[in-house]
Amino acid sequence: MAAQARANALRPLLKVKIGGDNDMARIRAVREAAPASRIILDANEGWSDDNIVANLAFAAEHGIALIEQPLPAGRDGILRNIVHPVPICADESVHEA
């Protein structure tokens, strides 16, 4: 991921697909490889109630602009009760206008 981010580091915006083990290492690697790019993370429903708070905080510390669909569709109730240091958007959770 770092190599791909480095190859695209001159682009103003990068969308990075994550959502599994070692996401913090991936976030760090991409940010270090593309320090000037705005970064959107697509967690692909890969986070859980157990790791979302820590992952959001880490993403904020690394200047992430937006996180897309961090939790499985239909499991986003926890978002009402936690701090959002990075904006969150949904795609799989929204199926109608």
Side-chain angles (χ1 to χ4, degrees), residues 1 9 16 18 31 49 53 59 63 67 69 79 81 86 89 91 95:
M1 291 184 96
V16 179
I18 59 171
R31 170 48 71 211
D49 293 1
V53 172
I67 298 173
Q69 199 65 46
L79 297 175
N81 302 315
V86 176
C89 71
D91 54 2
H95 295 285

Side-chain angles (χ1 to χ4, degrees), residues 20-38:
D21 294 332
N22 301 315
D23 278 346
M24 289 182 188
R26 290 182 183 100
I27 293 166
R28 181 183 296 112
V30 169
R31 170 48 71 211
E32 289 174 357
S37 299
R38 291 183 66 221

Side-chain angles (χ1 to χ4, degrees), residues 9-60:
L10 296 179
R11 296 184 185 273
L13 179 66
L14 300 177
K15 180 176 177 181
V16 179
K17 296 205 177 235
I18 59 171
D21 294 332
N22 301 315
D23 278 346
M24 289 182 188
R26 290 182 183 100
I27 293 166
R28 181 183 296 112
V30 169
R31 170 48 71 211
E32 289 174 357
S37 299
R38 291 183 66 221
I39 297 173
I40 294 173
L41 300 177
D42 184 349
N44 286 313
E45 303 181 72
W47 292 356
S48 68
D49 293 1
D50 296 331
N51 65 19
I52 190 167
V53 172
N55 284 339
L56 284 171
F58 193 83

